[in-house]
């Protein structure tokens, strides 16, 4: 079971940077490499196409080489740094990948704090059908994000092994301090599409409002595949969390409420008082 914890803020999607490999320091060598890359990548992005058509690869290199002479760059190789930034921006336009971030456990207090709006939100649990396993990947923590430019070019030319290596570095690696998330990511194309996962359960945070609970329970009622509902509680005398089945009997007796319910209740009381006075 994997879960997505949602609050008033949407769950952030993090896209690490792509770093270029080491390039030759000579202007002619870099120019030849850029021209080869432009031809191999077969640019289709709107900004990229304008860039290549307008400036051509050698003009881009000339501009990068000129900017690399800026003395404010306190790095060993400004030319390589600027070329890497340019390639990163252009290649990201071609990297048409989207991700859905989920967590392995629902009882992590930090997850509820960071993504569940301080327990005002909900946690949604999914099961993973066998045909979705190839699209679901476990995030790795620590290590490096450097990707050889040759791997990126091979990926854009259809090399599946290069695609896997670039995906791992770009989409599946985070700093070690995020390890507590135990994150999994569903990777696919960036567009509206049917879900590959099966909705199984909804867990309400400790501060989730009753009206929100009722709205969600009602919206998911009568589904062909029933959804289970839980609420999160602290274990007595500890800071540990545990989910318990939602007791919705009282909630369904109170909701839905009409805005005039209170007004009408006082009207009936006033009418009873008038009858008592007249008798």
């Amino acid at each position: 079971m994997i879960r997505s914890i949602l609050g008033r803020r949407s769950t952030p999607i993090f896209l690490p940077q792509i770093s270029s490999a080491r390039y030759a320091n000579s202007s002619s060598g870099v120019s030849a490499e850029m021209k080869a890359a432009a031809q191999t990548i077969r640019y289709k992005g709107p900004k990229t196409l304008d860039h290549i058509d307008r400036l051509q690869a050698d003009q881009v290199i000339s501009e990068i080489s000129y900017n690399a002479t800026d003395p404010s760059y306190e790095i060993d190789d400004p030319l390589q740094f600027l070329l890497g930034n340019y390639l990163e921006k252009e290649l990201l336009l071609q990297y048409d990948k989207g991700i859905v971030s989920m967590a392995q456990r629902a009882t992590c207090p930090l997850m509820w704090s960071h993504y569940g709006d301080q327990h005002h939100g909900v946690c949604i649990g999914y099961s993973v059908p066998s045909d979705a396993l190839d699209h679901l990947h476990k995030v790795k923590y620590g290590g490096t994000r450097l990707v050889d430019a040759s791997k990126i070019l091979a990926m854009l030319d259809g090399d599946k092994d290069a695609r896997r290596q670039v995906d791992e570095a770009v989409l599946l690696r985070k700093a070690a301090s995020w390890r507590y998330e135990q994150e999994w990511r569903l990777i696919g194309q960036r567009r509206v599409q049917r879900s590959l996962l099966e909705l199984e359960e909804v867990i309400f945070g400790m501060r989730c409002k009753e009206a929100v609970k009722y709205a969600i329970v009602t919206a998911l009622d009568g589904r062909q595949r029933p959804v289970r509902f839980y609420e999160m509680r602290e274990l007595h005398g500890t800071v540990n969390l545990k989910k318990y089945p939602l007791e919705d009997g009282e909630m369904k007796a109170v909701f839905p409420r009409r805005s005039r319910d209170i007004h009408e209740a006082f009207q009936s009381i006033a009418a009873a008082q008038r009858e008592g006075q007249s008798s």
Side-chain angles (χ1 to χ4, degrees):
M1 181 83 67
I2 53 176
R3 299 170 176 88
S4 178
I5 298 180
L6 307 175
R8 294 173 187 169
R9 300 166 295 173
S10 59
T11 304
I13 295 178
F14 180 74
L15 180 62
Q17 295 180 347
I18 299 176
S19 300
S20 68
R22 291 182 292 276
Y23 276 81
N25 289 331
S26 66
S27 177
S28 60
V30 175
S31 179
E33 192 75 30
M34 176 64 91
K35 288 180 179 178
Q39 184 177 9
T40 303
I41 293 172
R42 301 200 266 302
Y43 289 114
K44 296 179 181 178
K47 294 183 180 178
T48 304
L49 189 59
D50 292 341
H51 236 43
I52 296 301
D53 288 343
R54 186 173 66 253
L55 298 177
Q56 298 301 321
D58 53 346
Q59 292 176 306
V60 174
I61 294 299
S62 296
E63 183 179 347
I64 291 175
S65 299
Y66 173 77
N67 291 332
T69 62
D70 187 339
S72 64
Y73 287 111
E74 298 179 357
I75 51 179
D76 293 335
D77 192 344
L79 182 63
Q80 177 182 324
F81 171 75
L82 292 173
L83 178 61
N85 284 348
Y86 178 84
L87 285 174
E88 177 184 317
K89 182 176 71 173
E90 297 295 331
L91 290 170
L92 280 175
L93 293 174
Q94 298 292 319
Y95 204 79
D96 190 27
K97 286 285 187 177
I99 62 175
V100 177
S101 296
M102 288 162 286
Q104 190 169 321
R105 53 183 177 154
T107 56
C108 176
L110 284 175
M111 294 295 286
W112 281 100
S113 177
H114 293 167
Y115 301 121
D117 194 20
Q118 303 288 341
H119 277 274
H120 289 94
V122 301
C123 175
I124 304 174
Y126 299 91
S127 60
V128 185
S130 58
D131 60 348
L133 291 175
D134 290 342
H135 303 276
L136 192 65
H137 307 273
K138 192 172 185 177
V139 171
K140 297 178 181 179
Y141 299 95
T144 179
R145 290 182 185 160
L146 289 177
V147 180
D148 290 342
S150 58
K151 294 293 183 184
I152 298 174
L153 296 178
M155 174 196 73
L156 294 171
D157 205 32
D159 189 314
K160 292 183 178 179
D161 185 62
R163 163 72 69 179
R164 179 186 58 79
Q165 295 182 50
V166 174
D167 280 351
E168 287 183 358
V170 175
L171 300 178
L172 299 175
R173 191 167 295 279
K174 296 177 72 171
S177 55
W178 294 100
R179 196 182 305 273
Y180 73 90
E181 291 184 339
Q182 297 184 19
E183 183 178 352
W184 289 73
R185 288 182 171 180
L186 186 69
I187 300 179
Q189 299 301 314
R190 291 188 298 176
R191 63 174 182 268
V192 178
Q193 54 193 304
R194 70 177 185 87
S195 174
L196 297 176
L197 308 178
E198 289 282 6
L199 176 60
E200 298 286 352
E201 64 181 26
V202 176
I203 307 170
F204 299 102
M206 291 189 293
R207 299 186 181 94
C208 189
K209 294 181 179 179
E210 292 295 311
V212 173
K213 295 179 183 178
Y214 177 80
I216 293 176
V217 170
T218 303
L220 297 177
D221 187 30
R223 286 171 59 95
Q224 184 176 2
R225 186 185 181 94
V227 178
R228 301 183 299 274
F229 298 98
Y230 299 90
E231 54 188 356
M232 195 60 67
R233 301 178 194 169
E234 268 187 353
L235 290 175
H236 180 69
T238 74
V239 293
N240 298 323
L241 300 176
K242 183 178 179 180
K243 67 177 186 181
Y244 291 86
L246 178 68
E247 299 174 358
D248 58 1
E250 181 178 350
M251 179 183 66
K252 289 183 176 179
V254 174
F255 291 100
R257 289 191 298 225
R258 296 167 55 239
S259 61
R260 292 183 57 84
D261 280 351
I262 299 298
H263 176 69
E264 291 173 351
F266 279 106
Q267 281 185 331
S268 61
I269 293 174
Q273 289 180 337
R274 287 195 297 269
E275 290 180 3
Q277 293 174 353
S278 60
S279 59

